[in-house]
Amino acid sequence: MLTAWLPASALADSGGRYALVIGNSAYGDKPLKNPANDARDVGRALQRLGFDVQLKTDVGQRAMEDAIRDFGLRLKRGGVGVFYYAGHGVQVQGVNYLVPIGARLGSESDAKYECVDAGRVLGKMEDAGNELNIVILDACRNNPFTRGFRSVDQGLARMDAPTGSLVAYATAPNSVASDGSGQNGLYTKYLLENINTPGVPIEEVFKRVRIGVMNETGKKQVPWESSSIAGYFYLAGGQPQGPAAIAASQMSAAQAAQQQRLQEQRLKDYLAGLEAEKRQVEQEKAELVRRRQQLDAEEAQKLKEAQAPQEARLKEQLAILETERKKLEKERAEVAVARAKAEQAQKQAEKLAEKQAQQEKIQVATAGPVIVTPSLPVPQTAAASRPQPPKPSQPPQPSQIEDRAAVLQRLSGAWRLETENGVSLPTLVLKPGGDTLYGTLEGTLADRVSLTGLAMEDGNLHVRMNIAPSRGDLGDPRRFLRGVLRGQQGERVIECVGYLRAAENGDIPIFCERADEGRPPQDQRRRIAGHMVRAW
């Protein structure tokens, strides 16, 4: 570090003026009155002296360390640096620590991890290599954490000032400073009174501060400095005073020029180092890019090799799927042809049934035939299945006509056909019209079930229904074709007989069985019992 031989005006021309000012007061249950005020007042005073001031008040450990790190970077530009701290400070085993806000000091060992080593500031100043540095520590107050400390040393320990620097303490080493009763601490009050005095060397400024503090405290508090400055520095500028100061100001221009050249060379070396570091970083970056590209190519090749078997299997599966697709298309065409044939056969059967229904007549009781639309013949087992010509010699009797009318009126309405095994059947709606009984189907399965026969014989009601194949089967060509081939998709005929004379409470007992050509043999047929229940 160069010695500050030049007066303030010349020194200011060779570099800037930078200051870091920190004041901590809000220490939880151990607060201090003045440090934050001291820091703000000292910061304003240094700004008036041309310093670029970074002010921090009531900050924690991380914020203090970051501020010190940034302060060290600014000092590398050259010039004069001033560090001022007011707040709690402790010494542990000869090391001085500045106590940040939020520090938890239960024992001496905590100081290393919860506080900021004051030597960090001197280290950053020494790394910067600037002309002159001044450290002011107003941190020698009573240690509030001594209960958890083994040692009883008070105040701060002595720190030797590196070459070209000055360290000022609010009191002598291992002594305690007063926090003051006014706006500022006692030490800072006298510092503010003398810091702006022009034409006074820096050592003389601190000497005047010491005299003021000693006079006010009766020599109980003696400020102290450690200095390695070999020349003269005027903090507030102005003309030098005294023979020694005048002699120092008359240094030859050659010495000033030599110092300027050294400063410029130091700056060039610093810039050259930055440039070399930049080139090294660029080389490392290029090498990383090259290695990444190489790794990407290797990974791509490995991935391609790993995916080759999968791609082969995929192609094989696609070929199999294509073959299955063609096969399904062929089967679909065949099913479409079979469906067309089945629909044609169904239409022919419906036309034949309709034609037969138009030719049938149904008799009601003994009064002669009753026309039923639509209708199909009653099974051969029923006597009404054989058409009987009317007998002119035996016309209907009035009593018989009245009985028939009563029966037709009683049957008028909607009937639910309920079977004991839960077979779902549509609702049968009966409506008399003169001597004729008309019937329709509604509700469940009405779109698949058609009424093809309706007759009365011996006081019993005969109902015949045709059940068409399920529409769902028609929507599944394969299933429908299998049903046709197995004889399971033909139209079924169900005949139910209602025994009117056995009716109880309005319900009519019924028995239902299959009556189509595909029905089981006589000995295997099933008759399903149930009831006709009036719906309305």
Side-chain angles (χ1 to χ4, degrees):
M1 226 180 252
L2 293 178
T3 304
W5 286 99
L6 298 179
S9 58
L11 185 57
D13 293 338
S14 65
R17 288 188 166 196
Y18 307 101
L20 173 59
V21 179
I22 299 176
N24 287 337
S25 292
Y27 285 103
D29 57 347
K30 303 176 180 66
L32 294 174
K33 176 182 176 183
N34 293 319
N37 296 331
D38 294 343
R40 284 189 284 266
D41 292 342
V42 170
R44 284 192 289 267
L46 291 175
Q47 281 182 333
R48 289 193 294 269
L49 295 176
F51 280 85
D52 180 4
V53 178
Q54 183 181 8
L55 176 63
K56 300 287 184 179
T57 58
D58 293 328
V59 290
Q61 180 186 24
R62 180 65 179 271
M64 287 181 64
E65 292 176 347
D66 291 344
I68 293 171
R69 187 180 299 106
D70 181 66
F71 179 56
L73 293 176
R74 291 195 299 161
L75 290 180
K76 289 185 178 181
R77 304 171 189 172
V80 179
V82 173
F83 174 81
Y84 173 88
Y85 173 80
H88 277 310
V90 297
Q91 65 160 306
V92 177
Q93 297 178 359
V95 178
N96 293 328
Y97 292 98
L98 310 181
V99 182
I101 300 299
R104 295 171 296 180
L105 298 178
S107 63
E108 292 182 353
S109 61
D110 292 332
K112 181 178 180 181
Y113 305 100
E114 298 286 335
C115 300
V116 178
D117 188 345
R120 179 190 292 263
V121 180
L122 296 177
K124 292 297 181 182
M125 290 177 169
E126 192 170 6
D127 292 342
N130 57 317
E131 288 84 351
L132 174 65
N133 291 296
I134 300 172
V135 178
I136 305 172
L137 300 177
D138 189 359
C140 307
R141 296 164 173 81
N142 286 326
N143 180 2
F145 312 104
T146 53
R147 180 173 299 180
F149 283 39
R150 293 189 300 271
S151 63
V152 293
D153 293 334
Q154 296 184 357
L156 298 180
R158 174 176 176 173
M159 294 189 300
D160 293 330
T163 303
S165 63
L166 182 147
V167 181
Y169 302 87
T171 188
N174 300 320
S175 299
V176 178
S178 171
D179 193 29
S181 59
Q183 169 72 18
N184 301 109
L186 181 61
Y187 178 79
T188 300
K189 180 180 76 171
Y190 285 98
L191 177 64
L192 292 172
E193 290 180 0
N194 293 276
I195 197 172
N196 295 313
T197 305
V200 179
I202 188 65
E203 291 92 341
E204 180 66 23
V205 171
F206 286 107
K207 183 182 293 184
R208 294 182 181 185
V209 172
R210 181 164 49 253
I211 292 173
V213 173
M214 290 174 62
N215 288 338
E216 183 168 337
T217 62
K219 298 183 181 181
K220 292 181 180 179
Q221 180 176 336
V222 181
W224 186 82
E225 299 88 38
S226 173
S227 175
S228 63
I229 299 176
Y232 291 89
F233 172 70
Y234 300 88
L235 192 63
Q239 296 298 322
Q241 301 177 1
I246 295 174
S249 66
Q250 296 176 349
M251 284 173 34
S252 65
Q255 290 176 319
Q258 177 67 17
Q259 186 177 21
Q260 182 68 21
R261 285 194 297 272
L262 291 175
Q263 176 70 15
E264 292 177 353
Q265 183 62 40
R266 189 162 59 248
L267 180 60
K268 289 180 181 179
D269 293 343
Y270 176 71
L271 294 176
L274 289 179
E275 187 65 24
E277 185 176 355
K278 180 181 178 182
R279 288 194 299 270
Q280 183 178 359
V281 169
E282 290 177 350
Q283 292 176 357
E284 293 177 353
K285 181 179 178 180
E287 178 64 18
L288 288 175
V289 171
R290 186 191 66 79
R291 292 181 60 186
R292 180 177 179 180
Q293 292 175 348
Q294 181 180 358
L295 291 174
D296 290 345
E298 293 176 356
E299 291 295 330
Q301 182 62 28
K302 291 180 181 179
L303 181 61
K304 183 177 180 181
E305 293 175 356
Q307 291 179 344
Q310 298 179 358
E311 292 179 355
R313 287 195 298 270
L314 180 60
K315 291 180 179 179
E316 182 179 354
Q317 292 175 357
L318 290 175
I320 295 174
L321 291 175
E322 182 64 19
T323 303
E324 289 293 331
R325 185 185 65 81
K326 293 180 179 179
K327 184 178 179 181
L328 288 175
E329 288 181 352
K330 182 178 179 181
E331 292 179 356
R332 185 179 298 172
E334 294 175 353
V335 169
V337 173
R339 180 192 295 177
K341 291 181 179 180
E343 290 178 352
Q344 185 177 5
Q346 183 178 0
K347 289 180 180 179
Q348 292 176 354
E350 290 177 353
K351 288 180 180 180
L352 179 60
E354 183 177 358
K355 184 177 180 180
Q356 290 177 353
Q358 292 174 355
Q359 297 174 357
E360 293 292 333
K361 294 181 180 180
I362 302 177
Q363 295 179 344
V364 178
T366 60
V370 175
I371 305 302
V372 179
T373 304
S375 66
L376 279 177
V378 181
Q380 296 299 323
T381 57
S385 64
R386 296 186 297 276
Q388 301 291 334
K391 298 180 181 180
S393 59
Q394 297 179 356
Q397 299 297 320
S399 60
Q400 293 176 330
I401 293 174
E402 292 176 357
D403 293 339
R404 181 180 67 237
V407 171
L408 294 179
Q409 187 63 34
R410 184 158 59 92
L411 292 176
S412 176
W415 297 85
R416 294 195 307 272
L417 303 179
E418 299 179 351
T419 60
E420 293 180 355
N421 63 349
V423 174
S424 298
L425 293 174
T427 300
L428 175 64
V429 180
L430 300 177
K431 182 178 181 182
D435 293 337
T436 306
L437 186 63
Y438 297 92
T440 59
L441 297 178
E442 295 180 359
T444 306
L445 302 177
D447 58 335
R448 292 182 51 200
V449 182
S450 59
L451 182 63
T452 58
L454 189 63
M456 290 189 65
E457 182 182 48
D458 297 334
N460 298 327
L461 177 64
H462 293 258
V463 181
R464 175 176 288 190
M465 294 171 287
N466 285 20
I467 302 177
S470 171
R471 294 179 184 267
D473 294 342
L474 294 175
D476 187 347
R478 291 186 176 181
R479 182 176 178 182
F480 178 80
L481 183 59
R482 288 196 300 267
V484 171
L485 296 177
R486 297 174 182 175
Q488 297 176 351
Q489 289 297 333
E491 191 173 53
R492 295 187 179 184
V493 179
I494 303 296
E495 184 178 41
C496 297
V497 179
Y499 298 92
L500 303 180
R501 295 187 181 92
E504 293 182 2
N505 298 326
D507 295 347
I508 302 173
I510 61 172
F511 284 92
C512 299
E513 64 179 356
R514 286 181 59 180
D516 54 84
E517 294 180 356
R519 61 187 174 182
Q522 182 68 31
D523 57 344
Q524 297 180 7
R525 294 180 191 174
R526 294 174 53 199
R527 296 186 69 197
I528 302 174
H531 289 85
M532 288 177 56
V533 180
R534 181 177 292 276
W536 49 266

